[in-house]
Amino acid sequence: MLKKSQKIIVGNWKMNPSSAEEARRIFLSAKKQALKLKNIFIVVCPPFIYLQQCKKLFIGDYIALGGQNICKEHSGSFTGEISVNMLKNIGAEYCIIGHSERRAMGETNEIVALKNRVALSAGLKVVLCVGEKERDINVAYLDFLKNQIKESLYKVERKYIKDIIIAYEPIWAIGSKEAMTPSDIYEMTIFIKKTLSDIYGQEEALKVRVIYGGAVTFRNAEDIIVEGKVDGLLVGHESVNQDGFRRIVKTINEIN
Ligand code: 13P
């Protein structure tokens, strides 16, 4: 279980790897780190198809599994979708919602808000992704972000706020060579917390962890955490690179 003192590192495997055997190896490597390193908490979000085998590879709560998406409906005729109960029953505790790659497939803030409600009311913890497409000189991205957060959290009751982690992922940084600069990340973190405070009040807003995602590697991870002052990382391509991920988590573990 995630402790207050720990940084959270979420590995979003996206649509990787292509075999169950490789998934097993990548998961076992993350598990080994999770067992050893006490200042971090790892959440692995593999493709749905690998969740069950990953779950069978550990007993206990020193590491957790998450889905990369969820259906906004509980059951029924929704071909290709995965419901919240399916995720929960397989042993997932977290779910990424509103990733920009899903938003690019047509997921609106309204759909994200419905998914948040379904996931939170079923007891899942939500990694809610937000982030702007570009940073324009008129700073319209701040209004964009504020609106995205407000609409995505529409109807999320105050009591669930503690179960939300906001993953700030500027879209332009995802999959690119360069992450956002730590000082810009710090600014955006403050902005996100202020937006949450406007919605739920300061006390609740302070319960929400804000993490960063977008081109995180072992080279920039420490600066992002220390100077960007975020509570953790959402790691994409490096989360399926055993050595790269091991170095990221080890680096962050040593910060405390
Ligand atoms: P990369 O780390 O590959 O840039 O991806 C970030 C991301 O989208 C994680 O959800």
Side-chain angles (χ1 to χ4, degrees):
M1 212 166 53
L2 173 62
K3 297 193 188 88
K4 224 172 173 182
S5 59
Q6 288 175 317
K7 298 282 182 228
I8 182 165
I9 306 194
V10 184
N12 176 10
W13 290 9
K14 306 194 179 186
M15 202 171 69
N16 301 294
S18 52
S19 78
E21 186 42 42
E22 221 181 320
R24 185 173 182 275
R25 275 200 299 270
I26 298 167
F27 182 79
L28 285 176
S29 167
K31 173 188 161 179
K32 195 169 150 195
Q33 301 307 316
L35 264 172
K36 207 163 55 178
L37 309 175
K38 301 297 170 214
N39 298 325
I40 54 151
F41 186 77
I42 298 175
V43 179
V44 175
C45 300
F48 292 126
I49 199 161
Y50 301 137
L51 274 170
Q52 190 158 30
Q53 72 163 25
C54 290
K55 185 62 199 172
K56 286 186 181 151
L57 292 172
F58 72 100
I59 295 170
D61 59 2
Y62 58 90
I63 188 169
L65 287 169
Q68 296 177 12
N69 180 35
I70 201 176
C71 183
K72 64 179 170 51
E73 308 294 340
H74 281 280
S75 64
S77 306
F78 301 99
T79 304
E81 293 288 301
I82 300 286
S83 78
V84 65
N85 286 335
M86 292 174 188
L87 257 192
K88 276 208 74 177
N89 290 336
I90 224 161
E93 294 171 64
Y94 288 75
C95 187
I96 297 173
I97 293 182
H99 193 281
S100 61
E101 286 152 15
R102 297 218 60 90
R103 291 180 187 265
M105 294 177 212
E107 200 164 290
T108 60
N109 288 337
E110 195 186 340
I111 296 172
V112 170
L114 292 169
K115 291 184 175 190
N116 281 334
R117 212 161 46 157
V118 162
L120 290 162
S121 56
L124 284 182
K125 292 182 177 58
V126 166
V127 179
L128 170 62
C129 298
V130 296
E132 75 280 0
K133 269 200 195 76
E134 56 177 9
R135 279 167 86 79
D136 57 303
I137 51 169
N138 299 323
V139 211
Y141 58 86
L142 288 182
D143 279 339
F144 173 86
L145 194 63
K146 188 192 285 183
N147 189 51
Q148 197 180 43
I149 294 171
K150 284 191 170 162
E151 289 188 6
S152 300
L153 290 175
Y154 180 63
K155 285 196 175 163
V156 169
E157 294 170 59
R158 179 179 296 264
K159 65 177 178 192
Y160 292 128
I161 268 300
K162 60 174 190 350
D163 295 328
I164 292 185
I165 293 160
I166 302 271
Y168 171 58
E169 294 205 303
I171 297 174
W172 48 268
I174 295 176
S176 77
K177 285 207 182 78
E178 296 268 339
M180 186 180 232
T181 64
S183 60
D184 283 346
I185 292 173
Y186 181 46
E187 247 179 59
M188 298 308 286
T189 309
I190 293 173
F191 181 77
I192 290 167
K193 291 203 167 154
K194 167 81 176 71
T195 303
L196 291 170
S197 168
D198 290 347
I199 311 172
Y200 295 102
Q202 199 183 19
E203 198 185 325
E204 296 304 308
L206 289 174
K207 292 180 188 162
V208 180
R209 287 168 187 258
V210 179
I211 66 177
Y212 169 82
V216 173
T217 67
F218 72 88
R219 291 193 178 83
N220 57 25
E222 181 172 356
D223 287 350
I224 291 173
I225 293 282
V226 175
E227 292 170 41
K229 297 189 173 38
V230 282
D231 302 308
L233 302 166
L234 177 52
V235 184
H237 65 276
E238 284 293 282
S239 68
V240 283
N241 169 0
Q242 284 176 52
D243 189 49
F245 194 65
R246 184 186 59 75
R247 291 169 86 171
I248 290 174
V249 293
K250 193 167 173 288
T251 303
I252 303 309
N253 187 65
E254 281 163 10
I255 292 173
N256 297 40

